[in-house]
Amino acid sequence: MTEVHQTAIVDESAKLGENITIGPYSIVEAEVTIGNGTWVGPHVVIRSFTTIGKENKIFQFCSIGETPQHQGYAGEPTKLEIGERNTIREYCTINRGTANGLGATKIGNDNFIMAYAHIAHDCVLGDHIVFANGASLAGHVDIGDYAILGGFSLIHQFCKIGQHCITGIGCVCLQDVPPYIVAAGNPAKPFGINSKGLRRRNFSEQSIKLLNQAYRVVYRRSLDLQSAINEVEKMNGNNSEGISFSEFLRHSKRGIIR
């Protein structure tokens, strides 16, 4: 049974699934879709053109689907798309896309976004990502699966954060962060492969060894980036992790942290 608190304001055109809870004083605007089993706490604002999937938990005082903080935004009906089983804690702000960008901000499944995080316009998040408190993204940022952003990490616009990497507290990323590595500092610097995290996720020792070797080629041999990529590609063979590492390096547009 869907439960909407008597003090909540839900537009009659909003599409609510089954077994949804809308808490006290929350606002759900027109053109909003909320999937089955989603829980919305008190004092949450969900703006128009937002789609939320199944079994999400959105805690108090969040602003979901607000217009982008972009001077060129002229009121276009851009979107926010949130997947399934995400946890969004207190005071998080998530903005819609821009007409000149993707037209949408997209969040995948099974992500844990802690209090005071900010996700700006046109960002794309994968699955199983963790944002610690206060982590913030500028516009057009891509975050790979299983990435972990430490508390108050700041990611510059148009940067990409690779899968399975981790950033330290207060890390400031002005360039792309390759997958599988540890980054920390202001500006961010690399500190090796995230071996502990990869073992927790049952990566093979062979893959971890290869990634450590690839890291040393890129970061310890004083090679220019193109030469380092060529060396890593020779090492990879059919190893999928090594291939994704070198592909990320090859396609980076902002350059990688070094």
Side-chain angles (χ1 to χ4, degrees), residues 51-70:
T51 299
I52 300 171
K54 299 176 182 178
E55 299 177 10
N56 293 281
K57 292 184 177 180
I58 304 174
F59 285 71
Q60 54 266 30
F61 304 109
C62 287
S63 174
I64 307 297
E66 185 54 86
T67 55
Q69 296 180 113
H70 189 290

Side-chain angles (χ1 to χ4, degrees), residues 81-235:
E81 300 172 2
I82 298 176
E84 300 179 355
R85 299 177 302 278
N86 297 288
T87 297
I88 303 172
R89 293 302 303 254
E90 299 86 345
Y91 294 98
C92 288
T93 53
I94 306 176
N95 296 163
R96 300 200 309 267
T98 59
N100 294 327
L102 293 175
T105 300
K106 300 181 179 182
I107 296 175
N109 305 318
D110 301 294
N111 299 301
F112 186 38
I113 301 170
M114 298 186 198
Y116 293 94
H118 175 66
I119 299 171
H121 59 87
D122 303 291
C123 290
V124 178
L125 277 64
D127 303 331
H128 302 282
I129 295 164
V130 176
F131 279 43
N133 295 56
S136 296
L137 310 182
H140 310 276
V141 169
D142 286 4
I143 309 290
D145 297 346
Y146 291 95
I148 298 175
L149 301 187
F152 302 98
S153 290
L154 304 177
I155 315 300
H156 194 276
Q157 60 193 26
F158 293 100
C159 283
K160 296 182 183 296
I161 307 298
Q163 60 191 4
H164 295 279
C165 70
I166 184 169
T167 67
I169 295 172
C171 184
V172 178
C173 299
L174 305 177
Q175 292 179 292
D176 294 346
V177 179
Y180 311 112
I181 75 168
V182 178
N186 178 10
K189 299 293 183 185
F191 287 88
I193 293 296
N194 182 22
S195 299
K196 185 178 292 186
L198 297 182
R199 289 190 178 97
R200 287 196 190 109
R201 298 176 197 128
N202 298 315
F203 278 66
S204 70
E205 289 301 320
Q206 179 182 2
S207 290
I208 294 171
K209 180 179 179 181
L210 187 147
L211 289 170
N212 275 299
Q213 291 171 341
Y215 178 90
R216 286 193 289 271
V217 169
V218 175
Y219 289 107
R220 296 289 183 264
R221 286 181 51 184
S222 301
L223 298 172
D224 65 85
L225 184 58
Q226 186 57 60
S227 298
I229 292 171
N230 293 338
E231 287 291 318
V232 170
E233 288 178 338
K234 292 176 184 177
M235 297 164 45

Side-chain angles (χ1 to χ4, degrees), residues 26-38:
S26 286
I27 298 173
V28 179
E29 292 189 340
E31 306 295 331
V32 169
T33 299
I34 302 178
N36 297 345
T38 289

